[in-house]
Amino acid sequence: MTLTPRRSGALLLILSALLSALLASPSRAAAPADPGPLRHHHLHSAKEIERFLHSFYRQHGPTPQDRALRISQQLSEKQDRTPDFDELLCAQDLPRHITVGPATVLLTARVGWATVTTVWGSGKTDTFTAYVRLDSVPIQLDDVICAG
């Protein structure tokens, strides 16, 4: 199976987050570390991610304000590198309708995601995966991986 660069990007995002979580976790032999102020830090739940993605994508796509304020710096730079392609919608046009599927959360990787489906004027549908870091404050879209 050959992975497209966009699909392999999602895999790399999840794998690197998992590796970071594994390397950061204390060994069983080590004394427990004091988590300090992070002890009470909120991690976004699957329901919070779904609500965020519904409010972000709405029926026809994010508003200019959402694009400016509710995406990560990494995603903003990704969009800047492809001015003729909308990285947030994986398209070059505005969809007729957008739906967000149920979110999945991987606590060890500190990431959550959901499949977003776009319906176009022709009736054709496309899907992509929208990623949110569980510890983002405020909650924001961290990356989008197009289906290919």
Side-chain angles (χ1 to χ4, degrees), residues 56 66-73 75-76 88 140-141:
F56 182 84
D66 287 338
R67 289 172 179 276
L69 302 175
R70 298 176 76 193
I71 66 172
S72 68
Q73 182 65 35
L75 187 53
S76 179
L88 305 182
Q140 60 184 200
L141 187 62

Side-chain angles (χ1 to χ4, degrees), residues 42-55 100-105 113 134 139:
H42 174 76
L43 297 178
H44 307 301
S45 69
K47 284 293 178 200
E48 289 171 317
I49 291 169
E50 282 180 41
R51 279 194 301 271
F52 166 76
L53 291 174
H54 280 286
S55 73
V100 175
T104 300
V105 169
W113 63 89
L134 300 184
I139 190 170

Side-chain angles (χ1 to χ4, degrees), residues 11-21 109:
L11 183 59
L12 287 174
L13 176 72
I14 292 171
L15 289 176
S16 68
L18 279 171
L19 183 59
S20 295

